[in-house]
Amino acid sequence: GESVGLHLPTLSVQEGDNSIINCAYSNSASDYFIWYKQESGKGPQFIIDIRSNMDKRQGQRVTVLLNKTVKHLSLQIAATQPGDSAVYFCAENSGGSNYKLTFGKGTLLTVNP
Amino acid sequence: AAGVIQSPRHLIKEKRETATLKCYPIPRHDTVYWYQQGPGQDPQFLISFYEKMQSDKGSIPDRFSAQQFSDYHSELNMSSLELGDSALYFCASSSDAGGNTQYFGPGTRLTVL
């Protein structure tokens, strides 16, 4: 079936650098996308979301970019800190459903001091 | 701010036993979702409820059932447990007013021996 996938399973950056985590989705009917951060043994934590009528959305130190033409989503983290180390998942609303999310495979971000 | 509450946080069961997981959504959230996450895997959608009615269903085994009660809390009942049911089980909640953004609880770690 259609699913959301990530290009890179791991990403290692130096503290203070900018991080970019990428995600490809295949369900063109999905119109809502979310990035979650998950630390070991904890629940996914909402970071930022974007709807399909937008190309870019900014939060505190984070920016999400959506390219509907190539079905690509990215999360940019500015000035990455050790506390940002976690697994990052993108998720889509499963073809427009209001009642389920399809998650990608996750990218492990490691921030080196 | 109040978050999603799940209980118990840890549960150990024997094969063929039953288990009940509970979820208390964020106040004024009317929709709850259940996800299963195996080791190193992304969360997989099981089932969701909106206003006490099942709203969507994913890859939930027939041995599992769930419901949402009048106070909006939800329970996931799991019978004839198998070794492969060992996983983290997350509950999330959302409200229409919040744009359906799902907020996750801390999870219940189920271990089947």
Side-chain angles (χ1 to χ4, degrees):
Chain A
E2 297 186 282
S3 64
V4 177
L6 291 169
H7 297 304
L8 298 173
T10 62
L11 178 63
S12 183
V13 301
Q14 291 297 124
E15 181 177 359
D17 287 352
N18 296 331
S19 302
I20 300 176
I21 300 172
N22 296 300
C23 177
Y25 67 95
S26 57
N27 193 330
S28 57
S30 296
D31 58 9
Y32 179 58
F33 305 88
I34 310 175
W35 281 100
Y36 285 97
K37 171 187 179 183
Q38 187 176 28
E39 296 173 279
S40 182
K42 297 184 178 180
Q45 176 187 353
F46 171 84
I47 300 174
I48 193 168
D49 59 1
I50 190 167
R51 297 200 176 273
S52 59
N53 60 351
M54 302 174 68
D55 297 321
K56 178 179 179 179
R57 191 168 188 214
Q58 288 184 289
Q60 187 176 10
R61 285 201 305 119
V62 294
T63 300
V64 55
L65 299 177
L66 175 62
N67 186 329
K68 296 180 286 294
T69 301
V70 295
K71 297 178 186 172
H72 185 267
L73 195 68
S74 68
L75 176 70
Q76 300 177 2
I77 304 174
T80 315
Q81 303 168 0
D84 294 328
S85 295
V87 176
Y88 289 80
F89 290 98
C90 63
E92 63 176 309
N93 70 337
S94 306
S97 169
N98 287 332
Y99 301 109
K100 65 187 285 188
L101 292 175
T102 298
F103 281 77
K105 292 302 180 186
T107 292
L108 173 62
L109 174 65
T110 301
V111 182
N112 303 307
Chain B
V4 176
I5 297 172
Q6 291 187 246
S7 67
R9 294 295 312 280
H10 302 272
L11 191 58
I12 300 175
K13 291 286 185 178
E14 299 280 343
K15 281 173 52 179
R16 293 179 288 278
E17 286 191 322
T18 61
T20 298
L21 279 54
K22 296 185 179 182
C23 169
Y24 298 86
I26 293 171
R28 291 180 294 283
H29 280 195
D30 51 19
T31 308
V32 294
Y33 314 77
W34 287 97
Y35 293 83
Q36 178 191 59
Q37 186 178 31
Q41 302 296 311
D42 57 291
Q44 294 289 319
F45 173 75
L46 294 177
I47 196 167
S48 60
F49 293 87
Y50 167 66
E51 285 290 347
K52 293 151 280 184
M53 299 290 289
Q54 181 181 308
S55 51
D56 212 330
K57 193 172 182 180
S59 51
I60 183 170
D62 292 340
R63 299 177 288 107
F64 294 7
S65 65
Q67 59 182 321
Q68 185 181 29
F69 295 85
S70 57
D71 64 351
Y72 295 101
H73 94 273
S74 178
E75 296 183 4
L76 177 65
N77 298 294
M78 311 161 71
S79 63
S80 302
L81 287 169
E82 301 174 355
L83 297 178
D85 296 329
S86 296
L88 272 167
Y89 290 83
F90 291 106
C91 173
S93 73
S94 71
S95 70
D96 283 348
N100 305 114
T101 300
Q102 296 184 26
Y103 295 92
F104 282 74
T108 294
R109 182 175 294 280
L110 173 66
T111 302
V112 182
L113 303 176

